[in-house]
Each structure stands twice: as C-alpha cells, then as structure tokens.
Amino acid sequence: ELYPSACFLSGDRGCIIARSIEAKKMGIPMGQPLFMAKKEFPKCIYINAKHYEYAQISEQVMTVLKQFSPLVEVYSIDEAFVDLTGLSKLYKKNYYDLAKYIRDLIAQEVGIPVSVGVSRTKALAKLASDKSKTTEDHVCIAGKCGITKLLKSTEIGEVWGIGRRLEPKLRGHGIYTAYDYIQKNDLWLKSRFGKLGLELKYELMGNMI
C-alpha cells in the first residue's frame, strides 16, 4: 500500500486512540485494546503515541489560529473551530481562499499538513473537515448550496455526536445518512432523542435553534 493503515496507541499495551483514514476504512474501532486489534487486523501498523510532542505541536497550531482570528474554540488536541465571520472582507479572500490561507500558514509556521472544512455550523464544519481529508487540496467548503450534497454523502455514524451507541438505533429507523436524519420531523426526533437530537437536526441544516 502507498499509504499503510496506521493506529496510535495510548501505551505499549494500551488501546487505539487515533486511526488513519485507511485504518478507519478497515473497520478498526476507536478504543480497541492492542492485543485484540493485532489479532483482527495484523496488517495494520501500530505506533506508540508521543503525547508530549503532540501537545507541543498542537499548541503551535492553535497559536497560529489565534493570530488569524480572535474567536478560536480548541475542541481537542488536533481540532479547533475558528469563527470566520467578517474575515472574508478583512483578508479580501473568499472562504475557499481563506481555508487555503490557514492551511498554508500552518504548514509554513508549524511544518505539518492540516485539513480545513468550512460551513455554517460547527456540526457541518466538522463534516466538511472530515471530507477534506479525501480531497486533493485538503479543503472542503460546504456553503448553502453544498450542504445537501454533503449530508447525502455522510453516513449517519460519521455525524458528530451520534457515536457507535446511537448508530444502530437510527439505522433501525431507516436513517442511514445525515440527510435521512434531517428529513425526520421535529416531534419524532424530540420524542426519541430529546432536545439535543432536535438541535442536531437544525445544526445539520445550517441553522441554530
């Protein structure tokens, strides 16, 4: 393989804490113990995570983002949400060029490649970011006209906040994609998944309640 499947571990005998795109496609689950993963997926490469080095690089990336915009929400060691509202005029760039600018700035100042997704809500931006990992320039813009296409191409288990526990339940109700999810009426969603389930629908539609 040109790009071998790889997983990062919490320790020598720990669990899977991060997976490459190829490893995800193989079906290796997050959190699986190393001894089980090696037995089920012997061709995968298993690497001990260097937490201190990752934390240093993460801090450098977040510093670049905070120089670019004052509104940065650090979500995890390798993810952040950046509010681009008003920055298009400030930098005199459209959102696609802004995304490429962020990508190139991090590559220049930190020396690592990143993927950038841009959309109207955090849930959509996260989906766009996931899709950007498979694009040639590692950028995905899901504007008003592109949201439906993004949702139709996104399996329900890939949606932020669904998780492995809810996925089978949703599939049992005929919800296989993010687009299927937003087709359900509000009362149906709220009665089964509560207020958060309904809020997720409107986030995926590009609107906040």
Side-chain angles (χ1 to χ4, degrees), residues 36-52:
M36 292 177 63
K38 280 188 171 181
K39 185 179 293 185
E40 292 183 50
F41 308 97
K43 292 184 178 180
C44 185
I45 297 172
Y46 299 95
I47 305 167
N48 279 337
K50 299 178 181 179
H51 300 288
Y52 178 71

Side-chain angles (χ1 to χ4, degrees), residues 175-194:
I175 301 173
Y176 300 100
T177 67
Y179 185 76
D180 294 334
Y181 187 89
I182 68 169
Q183 298 308 300
K184 294 295 184 180
N185 68 57
D186 292 1
L187 288 176
W188 189 91
L189 282 173
K190 191 171 183 179
S191 66
R192 288 164 176 79
F193 305 106

Side-chain angles (χ1 to χ4, degrees), residues 1-9 16 18-20 22-23 26 28 34 37-38 41-49:
E1 294 180 14
L2 182 59
Y3 300 103
S5 304
C7 288
F8 289 93
L9 309 168
I16 307 297
R19 303 158 294 167
S20 68
E22 295 76 22
M26 287 175 66
I28 302 177
L34 175 60
K38 280 188 171 181
F41 308 97
K43 292 184 178 180
C44 185
I45 297 172
Y46 299 95
I47 305 167
N48 279 337

